[in-house]
Amino acid sequence: GEEELSLQIGDTVHILETHEGERRCLKGVSCPRRHKETVIPNELPLVQEVTTTLREWATIWRDLYVGNKREMFNSVRDMIYDLIEWRSQILSGTLPQDELTELKQKVTSKIDYGNKYLDLDLVVRDKDGNILDPEITSTVSLFRAHEAASKQIEDRIQEEKSQKQNIDLTRQAKFASTPAFALFVTLKNVVCKIGEDAEVLMSLYDPLESKFISENYLVKWSSSGLVKDIDQLHNLRAVFTDLGSEDLKREKISFVCQIVRVGRMELRDNNTKKLTSGLRRPFGVAVMDVTDIITGKTDDEDKQHFIPFQPVAGENDFLQTVINKVIAAKEVNHKGQGLWVTLKLLPGDVHQIRKDFPHLVDRSTAVARKMGFPEIIMPGDVRNDIYVTLALGDFDKGNKTKPKNIEVIMSVYDEDGKKLENVIFPGAGDDGIIEYKSVIYYQVKQSRWFETIKVAIPIEDVNRSHLRFTFRHRSSQDTKDKSEKIFALSFVKLMRYDGTTLRDGEHDLIVYKAEAKKLEDSSVYLSLPATKLEMEEKGYSTTGKSAQNLGNCSISKDSFQISTLVCSTKLTQNVDLLGLLKWRSNTSLLQQNLRQLMKVEGGEVVKFLQDTLDALFNIMMENSDSDTFDTLVFDALVFIIGLIADRKFQHFNPVLETYIRKHFSATLAYTKLTKVLKNYVDNAEKLTEQLLKAMKALEYIFKFIVRSRVLFNHHLPASCDPSSAARVERAAKGVPALTGCVSCVSADCREILLPLMTDQLKFHLEKREEPKACCQLLSDILEVLYRKDVVRDADDLFSFSKTFPLLQDFLMETFIMFKDLIGKNVYPSDWVLMNMMQNKVFLRAINQYAAVLNKKFLDQTNFDLTRSNWPRLPLL
């Protein structure tokens, strides 16, 4: 009938209005009683967009078939099939949030690429992928969105071309630009006949440097062939975090699994009642090259990888040696024994990963950190880890007929001899322990352990703590083993005499011998030199009889070497930086410490960025009644900002932004910073170099000033009259607009800044100077004035209108510009929204100027005959 609509399943009905008070609705559509009504579909906006896109492309696809354009036909077919598949996945509602977000990105990218391929209109979106509404989007924002969208599509086209040339750059480029990423590992099964309880230690390894680059992930395996903790069954997951772009550049990375059995000395011994138990003995290794996974060349998270197992050749075969042999070998005779794992590379740090991949990484997932700092250390990320590697040892057999079975026992003590509990971590996924016992190599004089253990001590206890290593011979017979005592000791303090932490690298420790009871007493050995280097520094002779006896201990001919790596955001190894961080302990050296800070290596400064900035502003605030340190603190601040601007440390920009936004608290810093900056500007001829550095750091200097002033306002008592600082505050709030950070939304701020800006704009534009910077500034101003939270008044318009001496000139220039823009294609042909927005702005402006035009044409007293161009205006 005349009042019926022909509809298909899936069509959406939009009811615009009702007539004469009657409710006219379609069957099945609920219509509330109001004049204008809208039906909001239950489908996601993206699903609706896909549906609309498929219908539009289907018509074009048919035309391509009729026109025998085979290549384009096949390309569009593939894109249509992809969109149909992805639409079904979105509608299913079964995807986890991270996968849904990733899929939405793929869908919008495919739609935009397809529209460009088919010469259709460009679609502009917000950061979440939603189509921008031109009715609520400013002209400047819309233009910038068009620019960004065009660039993304061009990048996608180049990417498609690269893929056609078999150059896989997508994932590799993605992860290369990501400051941090992680390797997610799931241990599915250990197929290995061990016969005893075992420890499975998994870590990342650099085969070219022959060193481990991550902590261990420790899984305790039972003799029955299952994980010892039954609660972890089918949930053996770990994420190796803090990997960065430097790791992508490694030529090779291996995933190494070491299996250490825990039981008797030799497996072939069967009389278990008389044998020593609980000994850690080498069993074998499994190695897999994961370079392609780390670099993003392969990515199949569902694939289970089999890593073949290589047993030790003899029970005195070092695990490190076996690892290198397996890496060098082309094949491993595994006889069906090995590990089954799945591997997946994840972008982001551990916090981001937990947020983006909650179905993979949760609170029960073990986190194995990189042995070293990540490329970005966010404020609040407190870390105090010391990695200790038991490296080498050479022990004389003594009164034994054969070399000893050496077991190294590592523990942590304070200076009073109290043992610190639960501060030693043999691997992620395991709780802290009191002492760590090394692997025992059977009858070996020169042991090579290369076992790395993490020591995590509370920061306040580090300066009083030391590592103690005791050495004991272990016997295979239980009765003999019980009679074996500790025969030697080594130790090393975690803090040096100058207050810095133990240096990274290798340490040749002195092996002391004494009665077992005396070795238990820390007061006996703590006053003695711990390393051979320290012994030389203290003036002891390392040769001859004089070096053999020191107090109650004698120096053994045995040798023992460890290596350490300190990863602490609170403890530094740099004396100059330590002097600044602990400036209160000796204020007489404060000026020297501030000067020395600017000589510290940049990598050390950025590791302690938050503490360093806190120290600088504390110095400034605690000396608020004096300007003695203001210039030095300002220069130090400029030095740090300059460091972060350096390409090497540019990924720390978000860290500095976070610090200013969340951690900065110096309420009066703005007065001192502005005073020093003003002094530099006023004395520019004398202080050229300092001023140049300050200008380069100007953006962040002003961000500190603004944040300080905002904090000051928040803490200002209600009874206090702020008028004395009103103009400073109003100017400070608006200054970011000059540096691209548009936040000047208050009217009093614009009262100061807009006249200044418009005068400068006119000056530079008339001279045709800095056109790009002028356009950027003008765009930022217009963007602010467009915002809903900005209350515009007549002064704002006056600031612009007074740029032109006469109103007629202003109108004439404006209309000539309109005419030129209408006659030219300023924007690309597919920027339909932008072209429509341009016409809309022209129409709105002409309507607003209509009153002025009528007055100039119809009022005889004001009509200006000298303006010969006026009659041509109607041609617009």
Side-chain angles (χ1 to χ4, degrees), residues 203-216 246-247 250 252-256 258 320-321 323-324 327 370-373 389 448 450-452 504-506 563-565:
S203 54
L204 297 178
Y205 184 80
D206 188 326
L208 298 182
E209 297 182 9
S210 294
K211 72 173 187 179
F212 292 98
I213 60 176
S214 75
E215 298 175 3
N216 291 314
E246 289 298 319
D247 298 295
R250 294 181 189 269
K252 278 193 174 184
I253 297 181
S254 298
F255 179 72
V256 171
Q258 303 176 78
Q320 178 86 359
T321 306
I323 291 170
N324 291 331
I327 291 172
K370 178 182 176 180
M371 288 197 293
F373 284 103
T389 301
R448 296 171 59 87
F450 291 101
E451 300 174 48
T452 301
D504 292 344
E506 298 174 348
S563 63
T564 58
L565 176 65

Side-chain angles (χ1 to χ4, degrees), residues 143 817 820-829 831 835 838 842:
F143 173 76
M817 180 188 68
D820 289 341
L821 291 177
I822 291 173
K824 300 175 183 177
N825 291 324
V826 180
Y827 304 113
S829 58
W831 288 26
N835 283 307
Q838 173 185 277
F842 290 170

